[in-house]
Amino acid sequence: SEQLDWAPPWLALAPAPAPRVPPLARAAARQDAGPGPPVLRPGFSRTWQRLADPTLHRPFRLTCWRLLHGCLGCKAFLHHVRRHQGLPPVADVMCEAPACAALAPLETLSHAFLDCPAAAPAIDWLLSTWAQLSAQAPPPRSARVLLTDDLDAWPGAPTDARTLALWTRLRVAVLGAVWELRCSRPAGGESFARQAVRLALQRLLGALQRD
């Protein structure tokens, strides 16, 4: 499960290099320099470039932009933020999907998109559709790959721009649709996952028609 203080993978683990300080100045200071600010991990800027595709549905792009920052408003994140701001905590931080009623899991980002029984079939559709369209094995079913588009965690990830653009459009459409429906809490009838796939296809077809 995710940690509430999870850091997105585009932040490097190592601090930024400290500026060069003359030896006499270091001796006069007599104090250890603190760690520098985090810097972008080399190569991760390409993830942002893929997300900047103007053909993507803008609200879905915003959803994935927030995922990259680890600040999408799932209940666990809102509870974490309010606690640090000294505000009353979120009253209910558990997933509200009917299939989760018995176990009442915490609504983290990974649960909302990957583990929740309501959304999981939509992710399965994304992976199987990608395999059919690309004639390649689907990526790992992990938050690092699916939620933050970290290709370093995907053995055999595509490298050409056109294939990566296809992957980005499918991924963003499905994740955006899942989150939009999760926030709107649609009525019963057609399953949540089927509604999410239908919405994702509508956005993808709309982009094709605009082209």
Side-chain angles (χ1 to χ4, degrees):
S1 61
E2 288 184 275
Q3 299 295 320
L4 296 186
D5 58 353
W6 169 82
W10 51 268
L11 288 178
L13 298 179
R20 183 177 178 85
V21 180
L24 290 178
R26 291 200 301 269
R30 294 289 184 183
Q31 60 183 2
D32 295 330
V39 294
L40 280 174
R41 197 179 73 198
F44 212 85
S45 61
R46 290 190 291 272
T47 298
W48 298 98
Q49 292 169 4
R50 289 193 294 274
L51 193 56
D53 184 347
T55 65
L56 299 173
H57 184 52
R58 182 175 175 81
F60 292 179
R61 288 172 61 191
L62 181 58
T63 293
C64 292
W65 184 87
R66 288 175 172 167
L67 276 172
L68 282 173
H69 281 84
C71 65
L72 194 64
C74 65
K75 293 181 179 180
F77 173 76
L78 296 177
H79 175 81
H80 175 67
V81 170
R82 292 177 67 86
R83 183 183 64 183
H84 279 271
Q85 292 177 343
L87 299 173
V90 176
D92 181 10
V93 295
M94 305 305 175
C95 178
E96 296 183 9
C100 292
L103 298 177
L106 186 69
E107 188 188 69
T108 62
L109 293 175
S110 57
H111 176 81
F113 287 97
L114 304 180
D115 301 330
C116 178
I123 301 300
D124 295 338
W125 179 88
L126 165 64
L127 298 180
S128 62
T129 300
W130 165 256
Q132 291 290 327
L133 293 177
S134 66
Q136 300 176 12
R141 202 177 192 282
S142 70
R144 186 174 168 188
V145 174
L146 296 173
L147 302 190
T148 64
D149 199 24
D150 188 352
L151 299 184
D152 288 346
W154 181 355
T159 56
D160 63 287
R162 292 187 65 181
T163 307
L164 284 173
L166 173 61
W167 163 248
T168 299
R169 288 165 184 159
L170 281 172
R171 187 184 72 87
V172 170
V174 172
L175 295 182
V178 166
W179 188 250
E180 180 175 317
L181 290 175
R182 196 172 184 90
C183 293
S184 63
R185 291 177 173 81
E190 193 175 34
S191 72
F192 178 94
R194 186 177 291 274
Q195 292 181 66
V197 169
R198 186 186 301 278
L199 178 58
L201 287 174
Q202 288 175 355
R203 300 308 183 197
L204 289 169
L205 292 174
L208 287 173
Q209 291 169 355
R210 286 193 298 273
D211 288 345

